[in-house]
Short mmCIF file of all heavy atoms in Angstrom, two decimals:
data_model
loop_
_atom_site.label_atom_id
_atom_site.label_comp_id
_atom_site.label_asym_id
_atom_site.label_seq_id
_atom_site.Cartn_x
_atom_site.Cartn_y
_atom_site.Cartn_z
N ALA C 1 12.78 -0.09 10.57
CA ALA C 1 13.13 -1.50 10.22
C ALA C 1 13.24 -1.61 8.73
O ALA C 1 14.12 -2.31 8.21
CB ALA C 1 12.12 -2.47 10.92
N THR C 2 12.25 -1.07 7.98
CA THR C 2 12.15 -1.19 6.54
C THR C 2 13.45 -0.49 5.91
O THR C 2 14.13 -1.01 5.04
CB THR C 2 11.02 -0.44 6.01
OG1 THR C 2 9.87 -1.17 6.43
CG2 THR C 2 10.94 -0.47 4.45
N ARG C 3 13.79 0.65 6.45
CA ARG C 3 15.12 1.40 5.97
C ARG C 3 16.30 0.45 6.07
O ARG C 3 17.05 0.36 5.18
CB ARG C 3 15.27 2.69 6.75
CG ARG C 3 14.38 3.78 6.27
CD ARG C 3 14.79 5.14 6.96
NE ARG C 3 13.72 6.05 6.86
CZ ARG C 3 12.78 6.26 7.81
NH1 ARG C 3 12.89 5.64 9.02
NH2 ARG C 3 11.83 7.07 7.63
N ILE C 4 16.42 -0.19 7.28
CA ILE C 4 17.60 -1.03 7.46
C ILE C 4 17.55 -2.29 6.60
O ILE C 4 18.53 -2.72 5.96
CB ILE C 4 17.64 -1.40 9.03
CG1 ILE C 4 18.00 -0.10 9.82
CG2 ILE C 4 18.73 -2.48 9.27
CD1 ILE C 4 17.82 -0.38 11.30
N ILE C 5 16.33 -2.92 6.50
CA ILE C 5 16.19 -4.10 5.65
C ILE C 5 16.51 -3.78 4.17
O ILE C 5 17.17 -4.49 3.48
CB ILE C 5 14.77 -4.66 5.77
CG1 ILE C 5 14.68 -5.38 7.15
CG2 ILE C 5 14.40 -5.57 4.63
CD1 ILE C 5 13.27 -5.63 7.52
N LYS C 6 16.11 -2.60 3.77
CA LYS C 6 16.28 -2.12 2.26
C LYS C 6 17.78 -1.92 2.03
O LYS C 6 18.28 -2.09 0.96
CB LYS C 6 15.46 -0.94 1.93
CG LYS C 6 14.02 -1.29 1.72
CD LYS C 6 13.79 -2.17 0.44
CE LYS C 6 12.30 -2.17 0.02
NZ LYS C 6 12.15 -2.76 -1.34
N ASN C 7 18.49 -1.49 3.06
CA ASN C 7 19.97 -1.25 2.95
C ASN C 7 20.63 -2.67 2.85
O ASN C 7 21.62 -2.82 2.27
CB ASN C 7 20.53 -0.46 4.16
CG ASN C 7 20.29 1.00 3.96
OD1 ASN C 7 20.20 1.50 2.89
ND2 ASN C 7 20.20 1.75 5.11
N LEU C 8 20.11 -3.67 3.61
CA LEU C 8 20.71 -5.00 3.60
C LEU C 8 20.46 -5.65 2.23
O LEU C 8 21.24 -6.35 1.71
CB LEU C 8 20.13 -5.78 4.69
CG LEU C 8 20.53 -5.46 6.15
CD1 LEU C 8 19.59 -6.29 7.17
CD2 LEU C 8 21.97 -5.82 6.40
N ASN C 9 19.13 -5.50 1.82
CA ASN C 9 18.68 -6.19 0.56
C ASN C 9 17.64 -5.27 -0.21
O ASN C 9 16.46 -5.38 0.06
CB ASN C 9 18.13 -7.50 0.91
CG ASN C 9 17.66 -8.30 -0.36
OD1 ASN C 9 17.57 -7.73 -1.41
ND2 ASN C 9 17.26 -9.51 -0.19
N PRO C 10 18.11 -4.42 -1.14
CA PRO C 10 17.17 -3.48 -1.70
C PRO C 10 16.13 -4.18 -2.61
O PRO C 10 15.14 -3.58 -2.92
CB PRO C 10 18.14 -2.62 -2.67
CG PRO C 10 19.50 -2.97 -2.27
CD PRO C 10 19.52 -4.25 -1.53
N LYS C 11 16.35 -5.45 -2.91
CA LYS C 11 15.39 -6.16 -3.87
C LYS C 11 14.23 -6.71 -3.06
O LYS C 11 13.19 -7.06 -3.65
CB LYS C 11 16.08 -7.27 -4.60
CG LYS C 11 17.05 -6.73 -5.65
CD LYS C 11 17.78 -7.90 -6.32
CE LYS C 11 18.73 -7.28 -7.27
NZ LYS C 11 19.63 -8.36 -7.91
N ILE C 12 14.32 -6.88 -1.72
CA ILE C 12 13.26 -7.53 -0.96
C ILE C 12 12.11 -6.63 -0.89
O ILE C 12 12.16 -5.28 -0.83
CB ILE C 12 13.75 -7.84 0.48
CG1 ILE C 12 12.98 -8.88 1.16
CG2 ILE C 12 13.67 -6.58 1.34
CD1 ILE C 12 13.66 -9.52 2.32
N LEU C 13 10.88 -7.16 -1.16
CA LEU C 13 9.65 -6.42 -1.27
C LEU C 13 9.05 -6.22 0.17
O LEU C 13 8.94 -7.25 0.92
CB LEU C 13 8.65 -7.11 -2.09
CG LEU C 13 8.92 -7.15 -3.61
CD1 LEU C 13 7.99 -8.25 -4.32
CD2 LEU C 13 8.71 -5.80 -4.19
N VAL C 14 8.78 -4.90 0.48
CA VAL C 14 8.17 -4.70 1.87
C VAL C 14 6.82 -4.02 1.66
O VAL C 14 6.67 -3.05 0.98
CB VAL C 14 9.07 -3.73 2.62
CG1 VAL C 14 8.35 -3.47 4.02
CG2 VAL C 14 10.48 -4.39 2.85
N ILE C 15 5.76 -4.77 2.18
CA ILE C 15 4.42 -4.23 2.20
C ILE C 15 4.04 -3.82 3.52
O ILE C 15 3.97 -4.68 4.51
CB ILE C 15 3.45 -5.31 1.62
CG1 ILE C 15 3.87 -5.66 0.12
CG2 ILE C 15 2.00 -4.67 1.58
CD1 ILE C 15 3.13 -6.88 -0.37
N ALA C 16 3.78 -2.55 3.78
CA ALA C 16 3.46 -1.99 5.07
C ALA C 16 2.02 -2.33 5.39
O ALA C 16 1.14 -2.40 4.50
CB ALA C 16 3.69 -0.44 5.15
N GLN C 17 1.75 -2.63 6.63
CA GLN C 17 0.35 -2.75 7.11
C GLN C 17 0.16 -1.68 8.18
O GLN C 17 0.96 -1.68 9.17
CB GLN C 17 0.06 -4.14 7.70
CG GLN C 17 0.99 -5.14 7.48
CD GLN C 17 0.85 -6.29 8.52
OE1 GLN C 17 -0.26 -6.55 9.01
NE2 GLN C 17 1.90 -6.92 8.90
N THR C 18 -0.84 -0.91 7.90
CA THR C 18 -0.98 0.22 8.87
C THR C 18 -2.40 0.81 8.93
O THR C 18 -3.20 0.72 7.91
CB THR C 18 -0.11 1.43 8.53
OG1 THR C 18 -0.21 2.51 9.43
CG2 THR C 18 -0.32 1.93 7.10
N ALA C 19 -2.83 1.19 10.11
CA ALA C 19 -4.11 1.79 10.32
C ALA C 19 -3.98 3.24 10.00
O ALA C 19 -5.08 3.88 9.87
CB ALA C 19 -4.52 1.57 11.79
N TYR C 20 -2.84 3.84 9.73
CA TYR C 20 -2.61 5.19 9.45
C TYR C 20 -2.26 5.35 7.98
O TYR C 20 -1.18 5.67 7.64
CB TYR C 20 -1.48 5.71 10.35
CG TYR C 20 -1.67 5.32 11.78
CD1 TYR C 20 -1.07 4.12 12.29
CD2 TYR C 20 -2.60 6.09 12.57
CE1 TYR C 20 -1.32 3.83 13.57
CE2 TYR C 20 -2.88 5.68 13.86
CZ TYR C 20 -2.21 4.56 14.41
OH TYR C 20 -2.44 4.18 15.61
N ALA C 21 -3.32 5.29 7.15
CA ALA C 21 -3.06 5.35 5.72
C ALA C 21 -3.60 6.61 5.09
O ALA C 21 -4.38 6.61 4.11
CB ALA C 21 -3.62 4.12 5.02
N MET C 22 -3.41 7.77 5.81
CA MET C 22 -3.81 9.02 5.20
C MET C 22 -2.77 9.36 4.12
O MET C 22 -1.76 8.72 4.04
CB MET C 22 -3.76 10.16 6.24
CG MET C 22 -4.65 9.84 7.46
SD MET C 22 -6.32 9.36 6.94
CE MET C 22 -7.24 10.27 8.07
N THR C 23 -3.01 10.39 3.31
CA THR C 23 -2.15 10.70 2.17
C THR C 23 -0.68 10.95 2.66
O THR C 23 0.21 10.45 2.01
CB THR C 23 -2.61 12.06 1.48
OG1 THR C 23 -3.96 11.79 1.16
CG2 THR C 23 -1.89 12.40 0.26
N ASN C 24 -0.46 11.74 3.74
CA ASN C 24 0.89 11.95 4.13
C ASN C 24 1.56 10.70 4.73
O ASN C 24 2.76 10.46 4.63
CB ASN C 24 1.03 13.12 5.11
CG ASN C 24 0.10 12.92 6.37
OD1 ASN C 24 -0.75 12.18 6.33
ND2 ASN C 24 0.46 13.66 7.40
N ASP C 25 0.76 9.84 5.27
CA ASP C 25 1.26 8.56 5.77
C ASP C 25 1.67 7.62 4.68
O ASP C 25 2.73 7.05 4.72
CB ASP C 25 0.23 7.89 6.62
CG ASP C 25 -0.10 8.57 7.95
OD1 ASP C 25 0.87 8.99 8.64
OD2 ASP C 25 -1.28 8.62 8.28
N ARG C 26 0.95 7.77 3.60
CA ARG C 26 1.25 6.91 2.37
C ARG C 26 2.70 7.39 1.88
O ARG C 26 3.46 6.55 1.52
CB ARG C 26 0.19 7.12 1.35
CG ARG C 26 0.42 6.22 0.11
CD ARG C 26 -0.68 6.39 -0.87
NE ARG C 26 -0.61 5.40 -2.00
CZ ARG C 26 0.23 5.42 -2.95
NH1 ARG C 26 0.92 6.48 -3.12
NH2 ARG C 26 0.24 4.51 -3.90
N GLU C 27 2.91 8.64 1.75
CA GLU C 27 4.16 9.19 1.34
C GLU C 27 5.28 8.81 2.22
O GLU C 27 6.31 8.37 1.79
CB GLU C 27 4.08 10.71 1.26
CG GLU C 27 3.24 11.26 0.10
CD GLU C 27 2.97 12.81 0.18
OE1 GLU C 27 3.88 13.48 0.76
OE2 GLU C 27 2.01 13.18 -0.40
N LYS C 28 5.00 8.87 3.56
CA LYS C 28 5.98 8.49 4.49
C LYS C 28 6.34 7.02 4.49
O LYS C 28 7.56 6.62 4.54
CB LYS C 28 5.44 8.79 5.94
CG LYS C 28 6.55 8.70 7.04
CD LYS C 28 5.99 9.13 8.39
CE LYS C 28 6.98 8.99 9.48
NZ LYS C 28 6.45 9.29 10.81
N ILE C 29 5.39 6.10 4.22
CA ILE C 29 5.50 4.69 4.02
C ILE C 29 6.40 4.49 2.80
O ILE C 29 7.39 3.65 2.93
CB ILE C 29 4.12 3.94 3.91
CG1 ILE C 29 3.49 4.02 5.32
CG2 ILE C 29 4.25 2.53 3.31
CD1 ILE C 29 2.01 3.63 5.24
N LEU C 30 6.11 5.10 1.66
CA LEU C 30 6.87 4.81 0.48
C LEU C 30 8.32 5.42 0.55
O LEU C 30 9.17 4.84 0.09
CB LEU C 30 6.11 5.44 -0.70
CG LEU C 30 4.72 4.77 -0.99
CD1 LEU C 30 4.05 5.41 -2.14
CD2 LEU C 30 4.83 3.29 -1.28
N LYS C 31 8.41 6.58 1.18
CA LYS C 31 9.80 7.19 1.40
C LYS C 31 10.69 6.30 2.25
O LYS C 31 11.84 6.25 2.16
CB LYS C 31 9.57 8.55 2.14
CG LYS C 31 9.69 9.67 1.23
CD LYS C 31 9.80 11.01 1.97
CE LYS C 31 9.44 12.13 0.96
NZ LYS C 31 8.85 13.22 1.67
N ALA C 32 10.02 5.53 3.27
CA ALA C 32 10.81 4.69 4.14
C ALA C 32 11.29 3.46 3.32
O ALA C 32 12.17 2.68 3.82
CB ALA C 32 9.95 4.15 5.26
N GLY C 33 10.82 3.24 2.08
CA GLY C 33 11.34 2.11 1.27
C GLY C 33 10.26 1.05 1.03
O GLY C 33 10.57 0.11 0.38
N CYS C 34 9.15 1.18 1.58
CA CYS C 34 8.01 0.19 1.46
C CYS C 34 7.63 0.28 0.02
O CYS C 34 7.55 1.25 -0.64
CB CYS C 34 6.91 0.40 2.34
SG CYS C 34 7.27 0.20 4.09
N ASP C 35 7.35 -0.90 -0.61
CA ASP C 35 6.89 -1.04 -2.00
C ASP C 35 5.43 -0.79 -2.17
O ASP C 35 4.95 -0.43 -3.26
CB ASP C 35 7.33 -2.39 -2.52
CG ASP C 35 8.88 -2.49 -2.50
OD1 ASP C 35 9.49 -2.00 -3.41
OD2 ASP C 35 9.35 -3.17 -1.57
N ASP C 36 4.68 -1.02 -1.06
CA ASP C 36 3.20 -0.92 -1.12
C ASP C 36 2.72 -0.97 0.24
O ASP C 36 3.54 -1.05 1.25
CB ASP C 36 2.64 -2.12 -1.90
CG ASP C 36 1.32 -1.69 -2.70
OD1 ASP C 36 0.61 -0.80 -2.29
OD2 ASP C 36 1.06 -2.42 -3.73
N TYR C 37 1.45 -0.76 0.48
CA TYR C 37 0.83 -0.93 1.78
C TYR C 37 -0.60 -1.44 1.75
O TYR C 37 -1.22 -1.27 0.76
CB TYR C 37 0.94 0.48 2.57
CG TYR C 37 -0.14 1.45 2.11
CD1 TYR C 37 -1.30 1.60 2.78
CD2 TYR C 37 0.10 2.29 1.00
CE1 TYR C 37 -2.18 2.56 2.39
CE2 TYR C 37 -0.78 3.17 0.58
CZ TYR C 37 -1.97 3.29 1.26
OH TYR C 37 -2.95 4.20 0.92
N ILE C 38 -1.01 -2.03 2.88
CA ILE C 38 -2.39 -2.50 2.99
C ILE C 38 -2.92 -1.74 4.23
O ILE C 38 -2.33 -1.84 5.34
CB ILE C 38 -2.33 -3.98 3.26
CG1 ILE C 38 -1.69 -4.69 2.05
CG2 ILE C 38 -3.80 -4.48 3.47
CD1 ILE C 38 -1.43 -6.23 2.40
N PRO C 39 -4.08 -1.08 4.10
CA PRO C 39 -4.66 -0.43 5.27
C PRO C 39 -5.25 -1.49 6.31
O PRO C 39 -5.71 -2.54 5.87
CB PRO C 39 -5.72 0.47 4.69
CG PRO C 39 -6.01 -0.10 3.32
CD PRO C 39 -4.79 -0.84 2.88
N LYS C 40 -5.19 -1.16 7.49
CA LYS C 40 -5.81 -1.89 8.58
C LYS C 40 -7.12 -1.25 8.94
O LYS C 40 -7.15 -0.05 8.98
CB LYS C 40 -4.89 -1.99 9.85
CG LYS C 40 -3.71 -2.96 9.73
CD LYS C 40 -3.00 -3.01 11.03
CE LYS C 40 -1.96 -3.95 10.97
NZ LYS C 40 -1.19 -4.01 12.24
N PRO C 41 -8.21 -2.07 9.38
CA PRO C 41 -8.15 -3.47 9.40
C PRO C 41 -7.99 -4.00 8.00
O PRO C 41 -8.62 -3.49 7.04
CB PRO C 41 -9.55 -3.81 10.00
CG PRO C 41 -10.36 -2.58 9.81
CD PRO C 41 -9.46 -1.44 9.69
N ILE C 42 -7.19 -5.12 7.90
CA ILE C 42 -6.92 -5.70 6.66
C ILE C 42 -8.12 -6.46 6.15
O ILE C 42 -8.67 -7.35 6.87
CB ILE C 42 -5.72 -6.62 6.77
CG1 ILE C 42 -4.44 -5.88 7.11
CG2 ILE C 42 -5.47 -7.43 5.46
CD1 ILE C 42 -3.27 -6.66 7.46
N ARG C 43 -8.45 -6.20 4.87
CA ARG C 43 -9.51 -7.05 4.13
C ARG C 43 -8.86 -8.15 3.52
O ARG C 43 -7.78 -7.97 2.81
CB ARG C 43 -10.26 -6.12 3.24
CG ARG C 43 -11.27 -5.16 3.88
CD ARG C 43 -12.11 -4.36 2.97
NE ARG C 43 -12.33 -4.90 1.69
CZ ARG C 43 -11.86 -4.35 0.54
NH1 ARG C 43 -11.12 -3.16 0.57
NH2 ARG C 43 -12.10 -4.90 -0.63
N LEU C 44 -9.29 -9.33 3.61
CA LEU C 44 -8.74 -10.47 3.01
C LEU C 44 -8.50 -10.32 1.54
O LEU C 44 -7.43 -10.58 1.02
CB LEU C 44 -9.56 -11.76 3.33
CG LEU C 44 -9.01 -13.10 2.85
CD1 LEU C 44 -7.61 -13.36 3.48
CD2 LEU C 44 -9.89 -14.23 3.16
N SER C 45 -9.52 -9.77 0.86
CA SER C 45 -9.40 -9.68 -0.66
C SER C 45 -8.21 -8.65 -0.96
O SER C 45 -7.49 -8.83 -1.89
CB SER C 45 -10.68 -9.12 -1.21
OG SER C 45 -11.14 -8.00 -0.59
N SER C 46 -8.11 -7.58 -0.22
CA SER C 46 -7.02 -6.66 -0.42
C SER C 46 -5.66 -7.31 -0.20
O SER C 46 -4.77 -7.07 -1.04
CB SER C 46 -7.12 -5.39 0.55
OG SER C 46 -8.37 -4.77 0.30
#
């Protein structure tokens, strides 16, 4: 979904939310076009 959205509008910011935030997952998230990510469970302060 992020890849398609970034093709439609490259300027839109996408922040991934994922319980799978290991090092290789972080790379995969950023490669997909996400600008950042928040690990789950989400902390309000984060």
Side-chain angles (χ1 to χ4, degrees):
T2 297
R3 283 187 199 97
I4 292 168
I5 288 167
K6 285 291 195 170
N7 281 331
L8 291 170
N9 181 351
K11 292 180 183 171
I12 206 161
L13 292 165
V14 180
I15 300 170
Q17 345 160 35
T18 180
Y20 308 97
M22 304 309 224
T23 306
N24 58 339
D25 293 317
R26 183 178 192 281
E27 288 172 25
K28 190 174 177 183
I29 288 166
L30 298 175
K31 263 190 192 146
C34 295
D35 298 281
D36 212 330
Y37 75 97
I38 301 169
K40 283 183 175 180
I42 296 172
R43 287 185 21 247
L44 186 56
S45 58
S46 300

